[in-house]
Amino acid sequence: MMRLHKLCNRFSLISPISQSSSSSRLLPSLCSSFLSLNPHHHHHHHSSPPGFLRTRLKNPRKSLDTHMTMSTFHNPVNSEDGGLGSGSNGTASYSPVDYEDSSALDGGYRLPPSEIRDIVDAPPLPALSFSPQRDKILFLKRRALPPLTELARPEEKLGGLRIDAKCNTRSRMSFYTGIGIHQLMHDGTLGPEKEIHGFPDGAKINFVSWSYDGRHLSFSIRFDEDQSDNNKLSVWVADVETGRARPLFQSPDIYLNAVFDNYVWVNDSTLLVCTIPLSRGDPPKKPIVPSGPKIQTNEQKNIVQVRTFQDLLKDEYDEDLFDYYATSQLLLVSLDGTVKPFGPPAVYTSLDPSPDEKYILINSIHRPYSFIVPCGRFPKKVDLWTTDGKFVRELCDLPLAEDIPIAFNSVRKGMRSINWRADKPSQLYWVETQDGGDAKVEVSPRDIVYTQAADTLEGGQPEILHKLDLRYGGISWCDDSLALVYESWYKTRRTRTWVISPGSKDVSPRILFDRSSEDVYSDPGSPMLRRTPVGTYVIAKIKKDGETFLLLNGSGATPEGNIPFLDLFDINTGTKERIWESNKEKYYESVVALMSDQVEGDLFLDQLKVLTSKESKTENTQYYLQSWPEKKVCQITNFPHPYPQLASLQKEMIRYQRKDGVQLTATLYLPPGYDPTKDGPLPCLFWSYPGEFKSKDAAGQVRGSPNEFAGIGSTSALLWLARRFAILSGPTIPIIGEGDAQANDTYIEQLVASAEAAVEEVIRRGVAHPNKIAIGGHSYGAFMTANLLAHAPHLFCCGVARSGAYNRTLTPFGFQNEDRTLWEATGTYVEMSPFMSANKIKKPILLIHGEEDNNSGTLTMQSDRFFNALKGHGALSRLVVLPFESHGYAARESIMHVLWETDRWLHKYCVNNSDVVADRGKDDTKETVKEGESKVVSASGGGTPEEDFHSQRRSLL
C-alpha cells in the first residue's frame, strides 16, 4: 500500500487525506482526484516516520480539497498582475542593489536576478480532475505566487489552527481562478474547453467536487476585500453540460463554515453543508481585565509528555473564540433549493455518508478543551444519523487526549478510524487499541478491528474482524471473500499485509506480505482500486482466461532507479505476470489511475484502460490513455515546457560509498551546455535532508529515477542552475541505528561521514571546485546544515539554513524521529544541537525563518537564539526573519527576497570565496548589479549564465 502514499506525494493530490486510516472511499492511485501539474510545488518535510500508512483518502464524495490543514498556501497559483515591482499592493518596496554595497542590505524586499525571477514567475499549469464516469476532465486554473497582503490578513490562532475570521475558514488557502471542462473523446483527444460561468469575475474558487453522477459540480467562491463587503464563502453548483453556475442557496445570507469540514454530496441531488449559524452574533470581546490568573496544575501527578505544539488555546477567551468560529449549523439542501436544518449547532469536524445513502457518520469535538494539545486531541464524539436528519445513536464519546505517549505508534484510547465498508451498503468498521495506546506496552493483540451494521439494534455487540500484533494501518476492501488489512511498526520498520475473508468465519486470515518498510526493492506494489456505482472504491479484480487476478501497481525500485510496473497477481498462489513496465532507457512512466472501472460487472484484461504519466530528464510530465489488448497509447495532454531556457540541463543519479561501507546516492544537476573538461569545476550547492534507517542495506538502496523530469520549486536549490552552479540534490544522509542501537547517538559521526563522501565524489568528478561548495537545507535540513558547518568546516565554504531548529533542549519531548525525552537521552540532545557548538562555526551561515512558523519543532525563537549565540562568538552570520510567513514560504515578496538573500550569500561567500581568488591569482568576480539583477562568474571564468528552469511537484497534505 505504500505505492498509494508515494503517488499521493508525487502528484500532489488536492484531496481529503485522513491522518487515521483507510476508508470506503480510498481513491485508486489518484483515480478521479486532482492531479497537480503545477511546477511550483513546495517540498515540505514532515517529522512523522516513514513507512506509515497515513495518507488514505476518506471520502471522494466530498470536495477534493476539503481538508486543507496546512497554514501555508498550497502550491501558489496564477499571478495577479501588478506583482511586486509595481508596488500596487502597497506592501513592498524594491531597489536594485550591488551585493557589495552593505549599506543597501538593511530593510526592503529585494528581487533576485532575472534568470531566477523568470522561472519563479512563470505561469503555473492547471490541476486536473476526471469525472466519475471518466468521460470529462476539469482543468482548474491557478495563479502564480500570492502577494504578501494575503498573508498579512488577520488570523486567529486557536487550538492548533489558523483561522481567517473574515472568511470563516482556514487562513492562507490557495484557490482556483477558473474551471474549464473538456470532453474526453473516444480517440483519446480532448474536446474544446467549456468554461464554467455565471459567477462574478474575480471569484476565488475552492472545494471543487463532482456529484456522483458527474452531472453537477459544487464549489465555493469568495472575494477580496476590495471587491466585496463580505469575504465569506458561498456555495455554488454548476451544470456540467451547459457550464452554467448558480448559488446553491436561494438566501444570500447563508455562508459556508470551512474551519473543519465544508460539505458533502449525500446523493446526486442533495448536499449536507456546514454553515455559519444564522443566529450567530458578533465575536466575543476580549475582556480588558482577565477574570483571574492562568493556572495549570498536575496535583494528580499524571505523566503528560507533549511535543512543542503551536497556536494553542491560551485562556477562556480563546475557548469562546474557538467555539464562535468552529461551530456550524448543518443544512441539508437539494439542488431545487429546498433547505432543511440537520441536527443542532456544534463543532462538526467531518461528515461521511454511507454507500447506500441512508446514514451519515458525523464527527464533532466538544469541551473541555486543552491549553497544551491541539484540537485533534479534544474530546471527540462520533454519531450516526439518517440522511434525512434523524439521530440514530452515539457510537463513541472519547475524552480529552492530553496523555498520548510520545513514542511512535502510540495512539488515542478507544474507538478510532471509524469508517464505512466500501463494499457494503452501510456496514461500519473501526479499530480499538489493546495497549492503552502506549507503544511501549507489550501486549498481544495490540489492535482489534471490529465491524457492525449501521442498523444494529441498541445493545447489539460488534463482531471481531481481525486481530493485529502491530499497529493498524488501514483496510482495502473488495467483497465478502477478500479484504487486505495493513499493520506496521515503526521501531522495527516492519509492515505486514493480511488477506482476510470478511464474510467467511471459517477461512483463516493469512499474511500476504511481511517485509521491511525501508526495503523499497521488495515492495510488491499496491492493489489498484475501482470505483463502484455508489462512488466508493474497492480492490479491482481482473478476469483473464477465466481466472481472477488483482492489479498490483508498483514503483519498481531497483539499483538503477525506479522502473514502475503493473502486475497481474494471483492472490491465492502468489504468482505474478508483468503486463506493463515503464520505459527505462529514457523515460519515467507510471500508472496513475484505472480508467475502465466506470462499467458495472467484471473487468476483463482485454478491456483494460489506464491513465499513465510519462516524462524524461528534459521533457515535462504528460498524460496518456493506454488500452488493452493492443496497448494502444493516446496522449491527452500537451503541456508546454515550464522553463525552456533549462530544457537541456544535465541530470545524473550518482552512487558513491561512505567510509563505513554504506552505499549513498544523489542527483547531480549541471547547467545546460556545461562540459567539465572544457569549463572546469563549478561552484556547487548541496541541498539535503537526513533520514533515519534501521539497516545499512536499506539506507543504501536507490530511490527515485534518473529519468524523472527536473521539477524546480519556487525556493528550490535547482534555481541556481540558472546561475551556473552545479547542484547536488538530495545526497543521502542516512542516520542508521541497527538492532537496538539508537540512530541519533551517532548522528554527528554519520552526518559528517556522509557529507565527506559526497564532497569527495563531486571533486573526483571534476564538477565542483573544492573551495566553492556550499551546503543548505530547510527544516531538518537546516539543522543538518548548521551541524555540518560546526563539525565539518573543512568541507563547505558557507551555508544556508531555512526554518530550522538548533537547540534540542527546546524540544525536550522528542523531535523529528527521536522519541526519547531530553532526560532519557541528555547527551544526544546536547551533542546534536548546533546551538551548543556555536563557538565552532567559523564559516558564513545565512539563517532564514518565517516569523509565524507553526511547525511543532521549529519555533522562530530557534533562529533568533542561534543567531545571538553565533554573534556572541563573532561568527560571520546573517538572520532574515520573514514577516507573516510560516514554516514554508508563500508570498511572492518573501520568496523573491529569500532567493535574493541566498543568491547574494552564494555570490559573496561561495563564488567569490577569497581562498579561490588567491588560488587563481586574480579577481574577476566583481560585477555590477543593476535593476535587481546580478551576474555570477564560474570558477572557470565562464560568462553570463544560460537561462533556467521551474518547480518541484512533490508535496504532502
Side-chain angles (χ1 to χ4, degrees):
M1 288 304 295
M2 293 312 298
R3 175 65 178 158
L4 178 65
H5 174 79
K6 292 169 185 171
L7 281 172
C8 286
N9 281 330
R10 175 175 168 71
F11 292 100
S12 237
L13 295 187
I14 307 172
S15 310
I17 294 182
S18 166
Q19 292 296 337
S20 53
S21 66
S22 79
S23 80
S24 58
R25 286 155 179 82
L26 177 65
L27 288 184
S29 305
L30 313 188
C31 199
S32 168
S33 49
F34 286 86
L35 304 180
S36 176
L37 304 175
N38 181 16
H40 298 290
H41 285 338
H42 299 296
H43 190 178
H44 294 299
H45 297 284
H46 300 278
S47 60
S48 44
F52 272 35
L53 297 163
R54 66 181 184 274
T55 53
R56 305 183 185 282
L57 283 72
K58 276 193 74 99
N59 197 342
R61 298 186 176 200
K62 299 183 186 181
S63 74
L64 282 104
D65 56 354
T66 297
H67 295 163
M68 298 189 73
T69 56
M70 49 281 199
S71 58
T72 57
F73 284 80
H74 184 86
N75 297 337
V77 241
N78 207 27
S79 172
E80 298 157 1
D81 194 26
L84 304 185
S86 69
S88 61
N89 57 29
T91 63
S93 60
Y94 293 107
S95 57
V97 57
D98 190 321
Y99 286 150
E100 303 303 318
D101 180 8
S102 60
S103 65
L105 299 181
D106 302 318
Y109 287 94
R110 310 289 181 187
L111 288 168
S114 60
E115 54 263 41
I116 289 178
R117 193 167 69 238
D118 291 346
I119 294 170
V120 176
D121 274 341
L125 298 173
L128 303 186
S129 172
F130 285 89
S131 67
Q133 288 70 34
R134 309 289 188 268
D135 60 344
K136 297 179 180 66
I137 308 178
L138 295 186
F139 279 56
L140 295 118
K141 298 164 186 185
R142 310 190 281 189
R143 56 164 192 177
L145 298 172
L148 193 61
T149 47
E150 294 196 13
L151 271 68
R153 287 171 60 94
E155 56 186 2
E156 302 289 348
K157 299 174 182 178
L158 303 167
L161 309 179
R162 294 186 175 182
I163 297 171
D164 186 322
K166 292 203 171 183
C167 295
N168 218 105
T169 185
R170 301 290 177 91
S171 61
R172 308 182 179 209
M173 287 198 311
S174 67
F175 57 87
Y176 304 113
T177 58
I179 305 173
I181 304 177
H182 292 267
Q183 187 78 29
L184 185 59
M185 312 305 285
H186 292 297
D187 61 0
T189 60
L190 298 183
E193 181 177 83
K194 183 188 302 172
E195 191 84 19
I196 297 294
H197 60 280
F199 52 85
D201 292 338
K204 297 179 175 182
I205 301 169
N206 285 102
F207 310 125
V208 182
S209 178
W210 292 94
S211 63
Y212 304 160
D213 59 9
R215 295 175 57 191
H216 291 90
L217 290 175
S218 55
F219 53 92
S220 71
I221 65 171
R222 69 187 195 276
F223 296 93
D224 284 329
E225 290 181 73
D226 58 353
Q227 293 179 276
S228 172
D229 294 333
N230 195 328
N231 304 116
K232 293 184 174 61
L233 282 67
S234 56
V235 185
W236 286 59
V237 291
D239 184 291
V240 171
E241 219 36 64
T242 65
R244 179 74 184 175
R246 60 177 175 81
L248 175 64
F249 293 100
Q250 295 177 0
S251 168
D253 299 322
I254 299 177
Y255 295 103
L256 192 64
N257 186 340
V259 169
F260 287 105
D261 215 339
N262 42 67
Y263 58 78
V264 62
W265 287 91
V266 175
N267 55 46
D268 289 336
S269 60
T270 309
L271 296 96
L272 185 61
V273 185
C274 295
T275 66
I276 297 171
L278 289 172
S279 59
R280 190 178 80 172
D282 294 330
K285 293 193 183 324
K286 188 175 183 70
I288 298 174
V289 178
S291 59
K294 297 176 183 177
I295 298 172
Q296 296 186 56
T297 182
N298 193 33
E299 295 176 61
Q300 299 81 16
K301 297 184 179 181
N302 295 325
I303 296 176
V304 178
Q305 299 179 350
V306 294
R307 294 206 175 194
T308 48
F309 297 118
Q310 299 197 51
D311 301 336
L312 301 176
L313 300 177
K314 298 180 291 297
D315 50 31
E316 292 179 5
Y317 168 70
D318 274 2
E319 291 181 306
D320 293 341
L321 210 56
F322 179 82
D323 276 337
Y324 178 83
Y325 290 114
T327 298
S328 294
Q329 172 62 62
L330 298 180
L331 295 180
L332 201 61
V333 55
S334 300
L335 294 181
D336 63 8
T338 306
V339 177
K340 175 183 176 182
F342 190 108
V347 182
Y348 297 109
T349 57
S350 72
L351 316 171
D352 192 3
S354 62
D356 64 2
E357 303 172 1
K358 290 183 179 179
Y359 300 96
I360 300 184
L361 270 181
I362 297 182
N363 286 249
S364 61
I365 56 179
H366 60 81
R367 297 194 185 215
Y369 297 149
S370 171
F371 299 150
I372 64 171
V373 294
C375 60
R377 298 190 181 187
F378 289 177
K380 175 183 177 180
K381 198 148 101 48
V382 183
D383 292 328
L384 187 64
W385 292 68
T386 62
T387 50
D388 59 358
K390 293 175 183 171
F391 176 77
V392 178
R393 69 179 187 273
E394 178 186 289
L395 296 179
C396 67
D397 191 350
L398 306 178
L400 178 65
E402 289 184 330
D403 59 349
I404 298 176
I406 62 173
F408 291 120
N409 287 122
S410 294
V411 295
R412 192 173 192 154
K413 300 172 188 174
M415 296 173 67
R416 69 183 199 277
S417 305
I418 306 173
N419 290 302
W420 298 107
R421 272 184 63 167
D423 60 330
K424 291 289 184 179
S426 51
Q427 186 83 10
L428 294 161
Y429 70 99
W430 66 90
V431 63
E432 294 185 32
T433 179
Q434 306 301 300
D435 57 13
D438 189 347
K440 292 183 178 179
V441 173
E442 294 296 333
V443 65
S444 177
R446 190 173 291 277
D447 273 338
I448 297 179
V449 183
Y450 295 93
T451 182
Q452 188 177 55
D455 57 6
T456 300
L457 297 176
E458 192 76 29
Q461 294 302 305
E463 292 181 28
I464 292 177
L465 183 70
H466 192 50
K467 296 180 179 180
L468 300 165
D469 283 338
L470 308 181
R471 188 63 78 204
Y472 169 79
I475 301 180
S476 292
W477 298 96
C478 184
D479 51 35
D480 270 339
S481 68
L482 174 64
L484 300 181
V485 184
Y486 309 97
E487 62 175 343
S488 63
W489 198 247
Y490 176 66
K491 278 290 186 185
T492 59
R493 308 303 198 272
R494 191 177 187 184
T495 179
R496 294 196 296 205
T497 303
W498 290 84
V499 179
I500 65 170
S501 296
S504 305
K505 293 183 180 179
D506 55 339
V507 178
S508 299
R510 61 184 176 88
I511 293 176
L512 182 64
F513 304 122
D514 188 348
R515 47 183 292 273
S516 168
S517 59
E518 291 183 336
D519 181 11
V520 293
Y521 293 169
S522 70
D523 187 352
S526 301
M528 296 201 73
L529 308 183
R530 65 172 295 180
R531 188 179 189 273
T532 69
V534 295
T536 61
Y537 285 87
V538 298
I539 296 172
K541 286 185 173 180
I542 301 294
K543 299 278 189 179
K544 180 195 175 188
D545 300 332
E547 301 292 325
T548 301
F549 301 88
L550 306 188
L551 284 171
L552 292 185
N553 184 12
S555 58
T558 74
E560 288 71 47
N562 289 357
I563 306 171
F565 63 83
L566 196 60
D567 282 349
L568 280 183
F569 179 67
D570 188 321
I571 201 163
N572 296 314
T573 65
T575 57
K576 301 177 185 178
E577 177 191 350
R578 187 141 300 178
I579 61 171
W580 177 89
E581 187 174 75
S582 171
N583 176 310
K584 56 189 174 187
E585 300 304 322
K586 179 181 177 182
Y587 292 101
Y588 179 80
E589 303 168 287
S590 61
V591 175
V592 179
L594 188 62
M595 297 294 285
S596 52
D597 61 346
Q598 76 275 17
V599 297
E600 292 190 43
D602 293 335
L603 298 178
F604 293 90
L605 181 60
D606 60 4
Q607 297 171 352
L608 182 64
K609 184 184 292 185
V610 296
L611 177 71
T612 62
S613 66
K614 182 178 180 181
E615 62 196 84
S616 72
K617 297 176 184 178
T618 58
E619 298 169 78
N620 54 308
T621 304
Q622 306 293 351
Y623 292 91
Y624 299 77
L625 287 178
Q626 189 156 158
S627 304
W628 271 252
E630 341 44 67
K631 296 188 182 178
K632 179 183 176 184
V633 177
C634 297
Q635 183 172 342
I636 60 173
T637 62
N638 189 23
F639 298 113
H641 196 292
Y643 27 90
Q645 64 270 48
L646 285 180
S648 59
L649 66 85
Q650 302 173 51
K651 175 187 177 183
E652 182 183 359
M653 185 175 284
I654 63 174
R655 300 197 71 182
Y656 48 98
Q657 194 174 82
R658 203 164 75 178
K659 62 185 178 183
D660 60 359
V662 175
Q663 288 291 322
L664 304 177
T665 60
T667 305
L668 177 63
Y669 293 89
L670 297 168
Y674 170 72
D675 184 340
T677 58
K678 295 179 182 177
D679 301 329
L682 296 174
C684 182
L685 174 60
F686 283 25
W687 199 267
S688 192
Y689 192 92
E692 285 191 11
F693 294 87
K694 289 301 292 180
S695 76
K696 290 182 179 180
D697 288 343
Q701 291 183 350
V702 176
R703 292 160 174 83
S705 166
N707 295 327
E708 288 179 275
F709 181 67
I712 306 177
S714 58
T715 54
S716 169
L718 299 188
L719 289 165
W720 275 270
L721 284 165
R723 305 285 282 154
R724 302 298 288 177
F725 270 70
I727 308 296
L728 195 70
S729 178
T732 49
I733 312 280
I735 311 299
I736 303 165
E738 293 190 302
D740 294 330
Q742 295 286 345
N744 283 339
D745 289 347
T746 54
Y747 173 85
I748 297 299
E749 297 94 315
Q750 296 194 61
L751 179 71
V752 172
S754 297
E756 282 177 337
V759 167
E760 288 169 5
E761 180 64 17
V762 294
I763 292 173
R764 183 191 69 78
R765 288 171 170 263
V767 298
H769 195 293
N771 297 95
K772 293 186 174 185
I773 301 175
I775 181 69
H778 186 93
S779 194
Y780 207 52
F783 176 73
M784 168 206 74
T785 297
N787 265 314
L788 284 172
L789 293 185
H791 301 289
H794 60 292
L795 296 178
F796 302 104
C797 60
C798 65
V800 179
R802 300 194 316 224
S803 298
Y806 309 102
N807 183 352
R808 285 306 169 191
T809 69
L810 297 177
T811 55
F813 289 108
F815 60 89
Q816 198 69 6
N817 294 329
E818 177 60 68
D819 62 0
R820 295 172 295 174
T821 71
L822 169 63
W823 299 271
E824 292 171 324
T826 306
T828 298
Y829 272 66
V830 171
E831 289 165 15
M832 286 183 70
S833 297
F835 179 87
M836 305 301 179
S837 301
N839 60 319
K840 298 180 181 179
I841 295 179
K842 308 299 182 185
K843 295 295 177 71
I845 182 168
L846 172 64
L847 304 175
I848 301 173
H849 217 118
E851 192 169 34
E852 301 294 330
D853 195 324
N854 66 338
N855 191 47
S856 61
T858 54
L859 291 78
T860 308
M861 173 181 65
Q862 289 271 6
S863 286
D864 288 332
R865 293 189 176 180
F866 186 42
F867 176 68
N868 286 334
L870 293 167
K871 193 165 58 170
H873 289 90
L876 198 168
S877 53
R878 179 175 174 85
L879 171 63
V880 179
V881 177
L882 304 169
F884 304 114
E885 293 290 353
S886 185
H887 190 58
Y889 317 138
R892 184 176 185 269
E893 291 93 329
S894 304
I895 286 172
M896 291 296 183
H897 189 81
V898 166
L899 299 175
W900 179 86
E901 291 278 2
T902 306
D903 193 69
R904 170 188 173 269
W905 204 254
L906 295 175
H907 179 91
K908 190 168 185 179
Y909 300 113
C910 183
V911 175
N912 285 358
N913 187 346
S914 59
D915 293 339
V916 180
V917 172
D919 290 342
R920 291 165 61 199
K922 62 177 182 176
D923 182 359
D924 59 0
T925 59
K926 291 181 180 177
E927 301 289 340
T928 58
V929 184
K930 60 181 181 178
E931 297 180 357
E933 299 179 9
S934 68
K935 188 164 110 179
V936 174
V937 177
S938 73
S940 60
T944 306
E946 297 182 31
E947 295 199 43
D948 286 48
F949 348 173
H950 250 121
S951 267
Q952 268 162 343
R953 60 176 174 276
R954 315 268 190 265
S955 147
L956 194 58
L957 303 188

mmCIF file of all heavy atoms in Angstrom, residues 824-844:
data_model
loop_
_atom_site.group_PDB
_atom_site.id
_atom_site.type_symbol
_atom_site.label_atom_id
_atom_site.label_comp_id
_atom_site.label_asym_id
_atom_site.label_seq_id
_atom_site.Cartn_x
_atom_site.Cartn_y
_atom_site.Cartn_z
ATOM 1 N N GLU A 824 15.926 11.326 29.084
ATOM 2 C CA GLU A 824 16.327 9.950 28.792
ATOM 3 C C GLU A 824 17.584 9.893 27.936
ATOM 4 O O GLU A 824 18.301 8.893 27.946
ATOM 5 C CB GLU A 824 15.188 9.215 28.064
ATOM 6 C CG GLU A 824 13.964 8.977 28.919
ATOM 7 C CD GLU A 824 12.792 8.460 28.093
ATOM 8 O OE1 GLU A 824 12.626 8.891 26.936
ATOM 9 O OE2 GLU A 824 12.044 7.619 28.614
ATOM 10 N N ALA A 825 17.837 10.933 27.160
ATOM 11 C CA ALA A 825 18.980 10.946 26.237
ATOM 12 C C ALA A 825 19.631 12.327 26.249
ATOM 13 O O ALA A 825 19.794 12.962 25.201
ATOM 14 C CB ALA A 825 18.525 10.564 24.833
ATOM 15 N N THR A 826 20.006 12.787 27.430
ATOM 16 C CA THR A 826 20.534 14.148 27.577
ATOM 17 C C THR A 826 21.751 14.376 26.693
ATOM 18 O O THR A 826 21.850 15.395 25.995
ATOM 19 C CB THR A 826 20.907 14.419 29.054
ATOM 20 O OG1 THR A 826 19.784 14.138 29.879
ATOM 21 C CG2 THR A 826 21.354 15.852 29.243
ATOM 22 N N GLY A 827 22.681 13.439 26.701
ATOM 23 C CA GLY A 827 23.889 13.608 25.901
ATOM 24 C C GLY A 827 23.585 13.755 24.421
ATOM 25 O O GLY A 827 24.179 14.603 23.733
ATOM 26 N N THR A 828 22.673 12.939 23.913
ATOM 27 C CA THR A 828 22.315 13.005 22.491
ATOM 28 C C THR A 828 21.685 14.345 22.148
ATOM 29 O O THR A 828 22.022 14.969 21.127
ATOM 30 C CB THR A 828 21.352 11.854 22.132
ATOM 31 O OG1 THR A 828 22.024 10.612 22.354
ATOM 32 C CG2 THR A 828 20.893 11.940 20.689
ATOM 33 N N TYR A 829 20.740 14.817 22.967
ATOM 34 C CA TYR A 829 20.095 16.112 22.719
ATOM 35 C C TYR A 829 21.131 17.232 22.655
ATOM 36 O O TYR A 829 21.061 18.110 21.787
ATOM 37 C CB TYR A 829 19.089 16.409 23.837
ATOM 38 C CG TYR A 829 17.693 15.872 23.610
ATOM 39 C CD1 TYR A 829 17.435 14.502 23.577
ATOM 40 C CD2 TYR A 829 16.617 16.733 23.428
ATOM 41 C CE1 TYR A 829 16.155 14.014 23.388
ATOM 42 C CE2 TYR A 829 15.326 16.256 23.247
ATOM 43 C CZ TYR A 829 15.099 14.890 23.224
ATOM 44 O OH TYR A 829 13.823 14.421 23.034
ATOM 45 N N VAL A 830 22.072 17.208 23.593
ATOM 46 C CA VAL A 830 23.069 18.286 23.660
ATOM 47 C C VAL A 830 24.047 18.193 22.491
ATOM 48 O O VAL A 830 24.331 19.191 21.815
ATOM 49 C CB VAL A 830 23.814 18.235 25.008
ATOM 50 C CG1 VAL A 830 25.001 19.198 25.006
ATOM 51 C CG2 VAL A 830 22.861 18.574 26.148
ATOM 52 N N GLU A 831 24.563 16.984 22.224
ATOM 53 C CA GLU A 831 25.561 16.828 21.173
ATOM 54 C C GLU A 831 24.986 17.094 19.789
ATOM 55 O O GLU A 831 25.698 17.572 18.899
ATOM 56 C CB GLU A 831 26.144 15.420 21.232
ATOM 57 C CG GLU A 831 27.051 15.200 22.445
ATOM 58 C CD GLU A 831 27.322 13.730 22.706
ATOM 59 O OE1 GLU A 831 27.050 12.917 21.789
ATOM 60 O OE2 GLU A 831 27.776 13.390 23.810
ATOM 61 N N MET A 832 23.706 16.794 19.586
ATOM 62 C CA MET A 832 23.093 17.037 18.283
ATOM 63 C C MET A 832 22.761 18.504 18.054
ATOM 64 O O MET A 832 22.494 18.893 16.914
ATOM 65 C CB MET A 832 21.809 16.211 18.140
ATOM 66 C CG MET A 832 22.026 14.733 17.911
ATOM 67 S SD MET A 832 20.463 13.845 17.667
ATOM 68 C CE MET A 832 19.949 14.439 16.061
ATOM 69 N N SER A 833 22.758 19.308 19.074
ATOM 70 C CA SER A 833 22.315 20.703 18.960
ATOM 71 C C SER A 833 23.450 21.598 18.478
ATOM 72 O O SER A 833 24.410 21.834 19.216
ATOM 73 C CB SER A 833 21.815 21.215 20.312
ATOM 74 O OG SER A 833 20.694 20.481 20.746
ATOM 75 N N PRO A 834 23.367 22.153 17.267
ATOM 76 C CA PRO A 834 24.424 23.067 16.818
ATOM 77 C C PRO A 834 24.508 24.329 17.679
ATOM 78 O O PRO A 834 25.551 24.981 17.724
ATOM 79 C CB PRO A 834 24.021 23.392 15.376
ATOM 80 C CG PRO A 834 22.588 23.026 15.265
ATOM 81 C CD PRO A 834 22.344 21.927 16.239
ATOM 82 N N PHE A 835 23.426 24.659 18.382
ATOM 83 C CA PHE A 835 23.458 25.784 19.319
ATOM 84 C C PHE A 835 24.585 25.592 20.332
ATOM 85 O O PHE A 835 25.270 26.545 20.714
ATOM 86 C CB PHE A 835 22.102 25.882 20.031
ATOM 87 C CG PHE A 835 22.010 26.985 21.045
ATOM 88 C CD1 PHE A 835 21.639 28.266 20.669
ATOM 89 C CD2 PHE A 835 22.283 26.744 22.383
ATOM 90 C CE1 PHE A 835 21.546 29.283 21.605
ATOM 91 C CE2 PHE A 835 22.199 27.750 23.321
ATOM 92 C CZ PHE A 835 21.831 29.027 22.934
ATOM 93 N N MET A 836 24.778 24.355 20.768
ATOM 94 C CA MET A 836 25.818 24.076 21.757
ATOM 95 C C MET A 836 27.215 24.136 21.149
ATOM 96 O O MET A 836 28.206 24.142 21.881
ATOM 97 C CB MET A 836 25.590 22.689 22.376
ATOM 98 C CG MET A 836 24.215 22.493 22.989
ATOM 99 S SD MET A 836 23.866 23.682 24.308
ATOM 100 C CE MET A 836 22.190 23.177 24.753
ATOM 101 N N SER A 837 27.279 24.151 19.826
ATOM 102 C CA SER A 837 28.573 24.227 19.143
ATOM 103 C C SER A 837 28.714 25.519 18.353
ATOM 104 O O SER A 837 29.481 25.579 17.387
ATOM 105 C CB SER A 837 28.729 23.021 18.195
ATOM 106 O OG SER A 837 28.647 21.800 18.902
ATOM 107 N N ALA A 838 27.964 26.543 18.761
ATOM 108 C CA ALA A 838 28.013 27.821 18.038
ATOM 109 C C ALA A 838 29.423 28.383 17.993
ATOM 110 O O ALA A 838 29.809 29.057 17.028
ATOM 111 C CB ALA A 838 27.049 28.817 18.680
ATOM 112 N N ASN A 839 30.214 28.099 19.014
ATOM 113 C CA ASN A 839 31.584 28.616 19.063
ATOM 114 C C ASN A 839 32.494 27.960 18.033
ATOM 115 O O ASN A 839 33.582 28.458 17.751
ATOM 116 C CB ASN A 839 32.171 28.407 20.465
ATOM 117 C CG ASN A 839 32.213 26.941 20.873
ATOM 118 O OD1 ASN A 839 31.272 26.197 20.611
ATOM 119 N ND2 ASN A 839 33.300 26.518 21.506
ATOM 120 N N LYS A 840 32.043 26.839 17.450
ATOM 121 C CA LYS A 840 32.858 26.131 16.465
ATOM 122 C C LYS A 840 32.560 26.578 15.028
ATOM 123 O O LYS A 840 33.269 26.181 14.102
ATOM 124 C CB LYS A 840 32.620 24.625 16.572
ATOM 125 C CG LYS A 840 33.015 24.015 17.908
ATOM 126 C CD LYS A 840 32.728 22.515 17.901
ATOM 127 C CE LYS A 840 33.087 21.867 19.233
ATOM 128 N NZ LYS A 840 32.775 20.415 19.228
ATOM 129 N N ILE A 841 31.487 27.328 14.834
ATOM 130 C CA ILE A 841 31.080 27.699 13.469
ATOM 131 C C ILE A 841 31.882 28.910 13.018
ATOM 132 O O ILE A 841 31.721 30.016 13.548
ATOM 133 C CB ILE A 841 29.565 27.956 13.397
ATOM 134 C CG1 ILE A 841 28.815 26.648 13.690
ATOM 135 C CG2 ILE A 841 29.170 28.506 12.025
ATOM 136 C CD1 ILE A 841 27.313 26.759 13.665
ATOM 137 N N LYS A 842 32.759 28.680 12.030
ATOM 138 C CA LYS A 842 33.635 29.726 11.518
ATOM 139 C C LYS A 842 33.319 30.102 10.071
ATOM 140 O O LYS A 842 33.825 31.098 9.577
ATOM 141 C CB LYS A 842 35.101 29.276 11.605
ATOM 142 C CG LYS A 842 35.535 28.777 12.985
ATOM 143 C CD LYS A 842 35.401 29.847 14.059
ATOM 144 C CE LYS A 842 35.880 29.326 15.414
ATOM 145 N NZ LYS A 842 35.653 30.313 16.506
ATOM 146 N N LYS A 843 32.512 29.286 9.399
ATOM 147 C CA LYS A 843 32.158 29.562 8.010
ATOM 148 C C LYS A 843 30.856 30.359 7.964
ATOM 149 O O LYS A 843 29.998 30.233 8.852
ATOM 150 C CB LYS A 843 32.001 28.257 7.235
ATOM 151 C CG LYS A 843 33.302 27.467 7.102
ATOM 152 C CD LYS A 843 34.326 28.221 6.284
ATOM 153 C CE LYS A 843 35.661 27.497 6.195
ATOM 154 N NZ LYS A 843 35.609 26.301 5.360
ATOM 155 N N PRO A 844 30.674 31.218 6.947
ATOM 156 C CA PRO A 844 29.483 32.075 6.871
ATOM 157 C C PRO A 844 28.193 31.251 6.834
ATOM 158 O O PRO A 844 28.087 30.278 6.072
ATOM 159 C CB PRO A 844 29.676 32.838 5.563
ATOM 160 C CG PRO A 844 31.153 32.789 5.310
ATOM 161 C CD PRO A 844 31.618 31.475 5.845
#
